Structures are given as structure tokens and as C-alpha cells.
Amino acid sequence: MARKFLLCFHDFSVWNFQKVTPVIENLKDLVGAPFSVLIIPDTEQASPEAVQEFRETLARLQSEGFELALHGYKHKAEFSQGRNYMGLIGMNLTHGEAEFAGLCQYESSRLLQQGISAWKNLIDIDPVAFVPPTWYSNKFLPRQVRAQGLLYEDRFSILTVRGRRYASPVTSFAGIPDFLMKPAFKFGEFILQIPFGLPRIALHPVDFPNREKSVRNLLRSALGSGRRLSLYREL
């Protein structure tokens, strides 16, 4: 397999798309190609006008070549029924954002279907992948996602619908304290240089504008590493 890397922009939602879309377009100009955008599909409390504009924005991004992936349902859990002890730990570590962490089979399936239904209300294409919020999961979710015909991603690997697994280290900066930010970017440079695996650069709205200079430098390193920017659908 040719050496590749993935660029994934997380947490794109009806609540931030107006501010974040220009950031995504600027990153496209920097890397010279569209990349993967992870969508939070819940629009329950949004105005009809905002929802319609969000739909139009998603359709435009898709037409420009960005691939759209499903990123949970609401991203922030509102319940803990059927969540095991490790799931509760994940919830505490992420301030309640580990939406699928430790869920039982029924609750995991129910929440996944809610996310899919919310997606279908937004855009008339299927997502290419499912990425659980914060990468915390449960033992049932990978099989449930693949049964929907979607690629599944966790913190350390990517599993295609056909069952092929890629070792995939990820560098991400959301939730990292300032004193660890420099080592986090160094780790990103490191995983791009190792001669195996499929590294991911996971960006979030909170990275901009404060970390934009470091992000852009990391992306330049990625482009100069001998790896090619790839998409989920190419795996």
C-alpha cells in the first residue's frame, strides 16, 4: 500500500458551521484537496433557517469533493442507562462527550440509529464512515456500524466494511492542556515519519484560531513526508 495519511475535521455541526466552514475551505487550499469532515447530525434545538442553511452547506461541501462521515448523534450524552463501569469512566474523562462509551447492545444500537436518522434528515447521501465521539466505544458498536455498510474508526485503528483493519495512530489537540501542546504536535510529526501505518490528523473547531499556525505547519510536514493525503473511501 502506498504511504498515505488522513486529514479529518471533527465536530462540524449546525451550531458552528457558519464559523467553521471558512476554516475548512482555507485548509483545503493549503493541502490542495478536499478531506474528511465529521458531522454531528443533531439539529433538535436549531431554528428551521439554520437547519436549512446547514443542509445547503453540507451539500456544497460534498459537491466540492469533501467526504462526509457520521460523528455520533449529539456528541454529548444525555443518559447513562446501560453504561458499564468503563463507560462511566470514559464519560468522566471527557466531560460527558463519550456518547457511546460502555453502552449495552440495545442502547448502542438505538443511539446509532438516532444518529443515522438525524443524518438522513439533513442530506441525501450515505455517510462513508462512523467515528464515535472522542473514540470511546463499546464492544457492540464496531459490528453494528459495519452492518450499516460503514467504515468504523477507533482511537488506534480503522476497520473497513470488508473487514480490513489498518493500524492508524491519531494526533489530536482538543482537550489537551497547554503545557502538553508542543509534545502533541511533535507526536504528530513523528507518526507521519514512521514507515508503516495510516496516520490521522484529527482537527477540531477549538484548534482555531489559537493553534492555527502550528496546525498549518504540521500539515506542511505531512505533505512533505512522502505520504499522500487520502480519504476513507479509498481504503
Side-chain angles (χ1 to χ4, degrees):
M1 182 183 73
R3 298 177 71 213
K4 303 175 182 178
F5 76 97
L6 293 173
L7 173 58
C8 312
F9 200 104
H10 288 224
D11 299 356
F12 193 70
S13 76
V14 70
W15 310 108
N16 62 27
F17 75 96
Q18 293 173 324
K19 181 178 180 180
V20 173
T21 300
V23 174
I24 290 174
E25 296 285 4
N26 287 338
L27 291 174
K28 177 187 174 184
D29 291 341
L30 174 63
V31 300
F35 44 87
S36 307
V37 181
L38 278 53
I39 312 300
I40 302 172
D42 175 50
T43 60
E44 186 176 342
Q45 301 298 323
S47 69
E49 295 78 13
V51 173
Q52 181 58 32
E53 188 178 351
F54 187 42
R55 287 193 184 103
E56 293 169 358
T57 300
L58 292 174
R60 179 168 57 81
L61 290 176
Q62 194 271 337
S63 70
E64 292 177 4
F66 290 93
E67 65 173 5
L68 308 183
L70 180 57
H71 193 36
Y73 172 40
K74 295 187 176 183
H75 202 299
K76 200 167 184 71
E78 296 181 346
F79 58 88
S80 60
Q81 298 97 318
R83 200 179 298 274
N84 64 23
Y85 181 71
M86 293 305 296
L88 294 175
I89 291 176
M91 291 288 289
N92 287 327
L93 289 174
T94 61
H95 305 289
E97 293 192 352
E99 195 174 27
F100 284 80
L103 289 178
C104 69
Q105 184 173 2
Y106 170 77
E107 291 291 355
S108 179
S109 177
R110 183 178 72 84
L111 194 58
L112 175 61
Q113 291 304 319
Q114 284 185 303
I116 292 172
S117 294
W119 175 285
K120 290 180 178 178
N121 286 332
L122 283 172
I123 189 167
D124 190 27
I125 60 167
D126 293 330
V128 298
F130 180 87
V131 181
T134 72
W135 294 291
Y136 282 91
S137 183
N138 61 74
K139 65 180 181 180
F140 308 104
L141 187 59
R143 183 177 69 253
Q144 292 168 343
V145 168
R146 289 180 61 209
Q148 296 294 325
L150 303 177
L151 176 149
Y152 176 79
E153 174 182 300
D154 62 30
R155 186 173 294 273
F156 302 107
S157 66
I158 291 174
L159 181 62
T160 70
V161 178
R162 299 186 302 276
R164 181 171 183 179
R165 186 178 295 275
Y166 293 85
S168 184
V170 61
T171 183
S172 175
F173 317 106
I176 295 179
D178 289 342
F179 73 93
L180 289 177
M181 199 57 63
K182 189 172 182 179
F185 278 99
K186 288 293 184 182
F187 175 74
E189 294 176 357
F190 169 74
I191 64 174
L192 290 165
Q193 297 300 326
I194 57 179
F196 52 84
L198 179 62
R200 285 168 283 154
I201 300 174
L203 303 179
H204 295 77
V206 295
D207 296 329
F208 300 86
N210 292 342
R211 302 165 194 154
E212 183 167 2
K213 181 178 179 180
S214 296
V215 165
R216 293 176 73 87
N217 286 339
L218 178 61
L219 292 176
R220 292 187 184 100
S221 295
L223 295 171
S225 68
R227 292 184 178 272
R228 178 176 66 83
L229 176 61
S230 186
L231 298 167
Y232 291 120
R233 61 175 175 256
E234 297 175 352
L235 301 181

